């Protein structure tokens, strides 16, 4: 287990969500289909508001519509981004990856940390959670403006779109990116709800949790997690999926047979790459987050050629991965689908996709960070051993 990426070691307390290998993620005991039905929606909308899942993760309770509207308004009231963020972004090379920009932008806000200030002022440890909560609210409130600024300076003409405080958090996010249709707003609500959390052991959640356990403030802790999310085996997989789908399309066209697709998937594996969007460290079934995005696509874009390609690949990839004899979960994960929905609505810039994932993941990991400070979780410090120690204890392990 220690040599295998700690897979299967139970080692953390993490309240906001729990992953079951067969059933997928549950947030405070509730699965995605139930949340899609029960969480409050925007007026006239059908998808849940991410503010609702944030409330659920923090309190364990499904909020009322009025509670969610209060939270939306509170976030809107805290949304102003300090000028230092834009100065820091301007100082970066034009080709800095959007995830690098997001890290830098958050670091530029860190001097405002209420947690760090309270600690320096001698705050009692029983109050740490309050300061962590204040920072978390500020960060989450500002993320739409920060991410939209990154989007518009990297992929558009750099002009910024003013916030619309009457909109919910996700709809305002789409609006500030410059995507104003109701359909995009609905997609953003769904997207931002389903990417929030995936229990504690994944790289972004664990890194945030670990760094937070040193009483590093929420800005420092979140950035650690986001830098992990920027890895291609974790959050960056969503950008890799769209690139790979485009590559697939170029190579085999829109009317490829199953045999042609199978050959293409094998060619990817033989070139020493992974098939992005497939596999998981814990899940052993199709990710319910994939399934709900598929349902969204069936409703809104059933004839999109990219959506059809995703469906066709679902018919061949698991067979190929199973045939390798080593992949433990041959089924699609959340990233296999998300890019196709975004590109359909004109958000075609794949390098931006992980920023969207990060904005959503911030809600989950910061909710847990607040709870961890509330429960006085200690500094995390597991034990490591050397390979020599393993050999002395258990003998030489043959590969
Ligand atoms: N394509 C090719 N090979 C894969 C694979 C895939 N999709 N999934 C697993 N494998 C390989 C592993 O690389 C490993 O090979 P190795 O023994 O030669 O090193 C072997 O199968 C066993 O791996 P595993 O135990 O099944 O998976 P894991 O827990 O080590 O890794 C994950 C999980 C997600 C990193 C892996 O499945 C992967 O690389 N998937 C593709 C990238 C991806 O979609 N990542 C996103 C995951 C979800 C998320 O965090 N957003």
């Amino acid at each position: 287990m220690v040599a295998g990426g700690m897979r299967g070691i139970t080692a953390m307390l993490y309240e906001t969500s729990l992953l079951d290998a067969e059933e997928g993620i549950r947030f405070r005991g509730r699965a995605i289909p139930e949340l899609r039905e029960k969480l409050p929606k925007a007026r006239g909308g059908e998808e849940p508001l991410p503010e609702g899942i944030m409330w659920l993760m923090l309190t364990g309770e499904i909020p009322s519509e009025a509670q969610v509207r209060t939270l939306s308004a509170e976030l809107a009231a805290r949304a102003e981004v300090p000028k230092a963020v834009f100065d820091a972004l301007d100082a970066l090379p034009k080709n800095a990856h959007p995830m690098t920009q997001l890290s830098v932008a958050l670091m530029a806000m860190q001097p405002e940390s209420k947690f760090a200030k309270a600690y320096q002022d001698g705050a009692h440890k029983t109050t740490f959670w309050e300061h962590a909560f204040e920072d978390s609210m500020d960060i989450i409130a500002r993320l739409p403006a920060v991410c939209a600024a990154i989007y518009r300076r990297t992929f558009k003409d750099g002009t910024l779109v003013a916030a619309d405080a009457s909109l919910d958090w996700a709809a305002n996010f789409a609006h500030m990116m410059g995507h104003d249709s109701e359909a995009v707003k609905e997609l953003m609500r769904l997207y931002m709800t389903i990417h929030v959390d995936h229990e504690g052991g994944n790289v972004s959640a664990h890194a945030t949790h670990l760094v937070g356990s040193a009483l590093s403030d929420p800005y420092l802790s979140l950035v650690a997690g986001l830098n992990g999310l920027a890895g291609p085996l974790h959050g960056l997989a969503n950008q890799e999926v769209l690139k790979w789908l485009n590559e697939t399309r170029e190579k085999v066209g829109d009317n490829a047979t199953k045999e042609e697709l199978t050959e293409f998937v094998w060619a990817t594996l033989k070139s020493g790459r992974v098939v992005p969007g497939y596999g998981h460290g814990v899940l052993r079934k199709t990710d319910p987050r994939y399934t709900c995005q598929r349902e969204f696509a069936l409703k809104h874009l059933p004839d999109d050629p990219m959506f059809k390609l995703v469906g066709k690949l679902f018919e061949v990839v698991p067979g190929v991965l199973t045939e390798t004899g080593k992949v433990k979960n041959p089924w699609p994960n959340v990233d296999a689908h998300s890019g196709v929905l975004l590109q359909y609505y004109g958000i075609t810039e794949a390098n931006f996709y992980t920023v969207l994932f990060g904005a959503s993941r911030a809600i989950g990991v910061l909710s847990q960070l607040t709870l961890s400070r509330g429960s006085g979780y200690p500094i995390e410090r597991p034990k490591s051993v050397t390979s020599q120690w393993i050999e002395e204890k258990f003998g030489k392990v043959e590969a």
Side-chain angles (χ1 to χ4, degrees):
M1 285 161 114
V2 296
M6 298 197 279
R7 217 70 83 254
I9 297 181
T10 301
M12 295 170 73
L13 267 177
Y14 207 84
E15 306 296 347
T16 44
S17 64
L18 183 67
L19 184 55
D20 180 273
E22 303 296 323
E23 288 179 12
I25 191 71
R26 281 179 179 270
F27 299 89
R28 296 284 191 155
R30 296 171 194 268
I32 286 179
E34 181 186 353
L35 292 175
R36 246 177 130 189
E37 189 196 316
K38 292 192 177 152
L39 285 175
K41 324 260 183 306
R43 287 187 188 95
E46 292 181 0
E47 299 300 342
L49 294 169
E51 293 91 321
I53 200 157
M54 178 177 169
W55 186 289
L56 172 70
M57 287 188 296
L58 279 166
T59 67
E61 298 190 353
I62 299 252
S64 67
E65 295 222 354
Q67 286 168 328
V68 157
R69 307 239 182 278
T70 309
L71 181 52
S72 293
E74 176 68 27
L75 290 171
R78 292 174 183 243
E80 195 169 329
V81 176
K83 181 175 171 296
V85 169
F86 302 106
D87 293 344
L89 289 177
D90 285 344
L92 285 173
K94 263 273 174 236
N95 64 352
H97 190 279
M99 282 303 282
T100 305
Q101 297 187 48
L102 181 57
S103 269
V104 168
L106 283 161
M107 283 294 81
M109 285 198 271
Q110 188 275 341
E112 299 203 349
S113 169
K114 293 168 181 165
F115 184 95
K117 180 171 186 314
Y119 193 89
Q120 289 309 317
D121 291 348
H124 193 278
K125 61 183 181 181
T126 53
T127 68
F128 286 169
W129 74 270
E130 294 173 28
H131 311 297
F133 177 68
E134 285 298 322
D135 276 354
S136 300
M137 287 289 285
D138 287 344
I139 293 170
I140 294 164
R142 292 165 180 176
L143 276 170
V146 170
C147 298
I150 293 170
Y151 180 73
R152 296 197 58 87
R153 78 187 280 282
T154 311
F155 305 108
K156 305 290 173 193
D157 63 5
T159 55
L160 303 185
V161 178
D164 180 345
S166 71
L167 292 172
D168 56 88
W169 185 85
N172 182 50
F173 198 147
H175 161 74
M176 293 188 86
M177 284 173 65
H179 293 277
D180 261 310
S181 72
E182 263 319 301
V184 176
K185 288 175 183 157
E186 277 289 90
L187 175 61
M188 284 290 263
R189 289 169 186 135
L190 177 66
Y191 188 103
M192 292 292 153
T193 298
I194 62 175
H195 285 80
V196 281
D197 213 36
H198 218 222
E199 76 168 28
N202 66 76
V203 171
S204 52
H206 189 192
T208 307
H209 186 72
L210 168 68
V211 174
S213 81
L215 299 185
S216 303
D217 64 59
Y219 293 86
L220 298 168
S221 307
L222 174 62
V223 167
L226 290 175
N227 288 344
L229 194 74
L233 294 188
H234 188 23
L236 205 80
N238 58 9
Q239 108 173 15
E240 297 304 299
V241 167
L242 199 77
K243 287 182 182 162
W244 184 71
L245 290 176
N246 283 328
E247 201 185 313
T248 312
R249 237 177 135 189
E250 261 168 42
K251 193 86 185 164
V252 298
D254 280 337
N255 300 314
T257 60
K258 270 190 180 182
E259 289 68 31
E260 287 167 327
L261 283 173
T262 305
E263 205 178 305
F264 184 78
V265 176
W266 274 115
T268 302
L269 293 175
K270 283 178 187 156
S271 69
R273 293 182 292 160
V274 294
V275 177
Y278 280 78
H280 203 271
V282 179
L283 267 172
R284 293 296 175 256
K285 282 269 171 69
T286 296
D287 193 330
R289 300 172 300 172
Y290 171 94
T291 310
C292 81
Q293 291 182 90
R294 181 173 162 75
E295 284 165 14
F296 187 96
L298 279 169
K299 195 155 116 194
H300 298 282
L301 46 136
D303 299 323
D304 179 54
M306 289 288 262
F307 168 57
K308 287 187 173 163
L309 178 59
V310 168
K312 280 193 199 169
L313 284 164
F314 180 77
E315 291 173 27
V316 304
V317 175
V320 174
L321 292 181
T322 303
E323 227 179 298
T324 66
K326 64 174 183 179
V327 179
K328 295 193 192 64
N329 178 40
W331 302 106
N333 58 53
V334 65
D335 299 311
H337 220 309
S338 53
V340 162
L341 302 181
L342 294 166
Q343 62 85 37
Y344 178 78
Y345 289 111
I347 305 172
T348 53
E349 301 85 1
N351 285 6
F352 187 69
Y353 293 173
T354 314
V355 171
L356 293 174
F357 192 158
S360 172
R361 183 54 54 98
I363 299 178
V365 299
L366 291 175
S367 296
Q368 178 58 45
L369 195 78
T370 301
L371 297 176
S372 296
R373 295 294 74 76
S375 57
Y377 192 89
I379 186 164
E380 199 173 273
R381 207 308 185 184
K383 178 83 184 84
S384 71
V385 293
T386 61
S387 44
Q388 190 189 349
W389 182 94
I390 293 187
E391 279 183 23
E392 282 166 9
K393 206 130 177 102
F394 304 105
K396 199 160 174 59
V397 182
E398 298 300 332

